[in-house]
Amino acid sequence: MEAPASDASCAPNEPCAAPETKDQQLEQSIANSPAYDPFNPATFVFPKPLQGTTVTIEFCDRCRWLHRATWTQTELLLTFPPPLIECISLLPRNTDETAGRFRVWLTIPASNQTDSLSNTLLWDRKVEGGFPELKVLKQRLRDKIQPGKSLGHSDKGNH
């Protein structure tokens, strides 16, 4: 009977090291990089993959809703700055299937599994019958990521 093939990275008669995690590989890559120089792009390191709460604004580019999407993005980022929301991304769509779309999605890392995400639709223009009032959208987002947070004038009744 033949002995099992050995891993090429293991030395004969020595135990093999466990494979590195992605974080360990990134740290090793940073350690092997030249010293950081803010004026030398060769020393720049790509940001770690997002692991926190994110918002995605999906919109119809044909409808020219970029300005509405960026306004919504700015308002949410000002109300829920990092680390509450790690990133608010814009996702322009340009197909017949996505015509007229304006959706706001919330993605939260699941607390019970490290690689699992929870995606929640906060707003859909077609379902809701129009664009979100920022007051309502901020309240929905707050209720998911920071219940009890005061939104100041956005929590008060209509004037």
Side-chain angles (χ1 to χ4, degrees):
M1 184 171 202
E2 283 186 35
S6 64
D7 186 333
S9 64
C10 298
N13 300 325
E14 290 187 24
C16 291
E20 292 182 343
T21 66
K22 288 181 182 179
D23 284 341
Q24 289 171 328
Q25 290 171 350
L26 181 62
E27 288 173 13
Q28 185 65 33
S29 171
I30 291 170
N32 292 337
S33 299
Y36 176 72
D37 176 355
F39 300 107
N40 181 357
T43 65
F44 298 171
V45 177
F46 188 79
K48 283 186 175 184
L50 300 175
Q51 296 182 6
T53 300
T54 63
V55 172
T56 302
I57 301 171
E58 182 183 12
F59 65 96
C60 177
D61 192 43
R62 291 179 181 179
C63 299
R64 305 208 185 279
W65 289 339
L66 175 62
H67 292 297
R68 185 179 295 269
T70 58
W71 174 62
T72 302
Q73 177 189 42
T74 300
E75 286 293 322
L76 293 179
L77 191 57
L78 290 172
T79 304
F80 303 99
L84 291 174
I85 296 178
E86 187 172 348
C87 174
I88 302 177
S89 59
L90 301 179
L91 189 57
R93 298 295 193 181
N94 197 354
T95 66
D96 290 341
E97 179 185 321
T98 60
R101 182 172 292 177
F102 193 93
R103 292 179 179 165
V104 180
W105 294 90
L106 172 65
T107 303
I108 301 174
S111 57
N112 58 351
Q113 299 174 359
T114 57
D115 291 336
S116 182
L117 300 173
S118 169
N119 297 308
T120 304
L121 180 63
L122 294 176
W123 193 273
D124 182 290
R125 186 190 71 82
K126 293 180 180 180
V127 171
E128 303 280 348
F131 291 100
E133 276 191 54
L134 282 192
K135 171 183 174 177
V136 175
L137 185 59
K138 287 178 181 183
Q139 289 170 344
R140 288 183 186 182
L141 182 56
R142 181 264 325 266
D143 292 347
K144 296 286 185 187
I145 65 170
Q146 199 177 26
K149 172 184 170 70
S150 171
L151 294 175
H153 66 278
S154 292
D155 276 336
K156 296 179 181 166
N158 295 333
H159 301 297

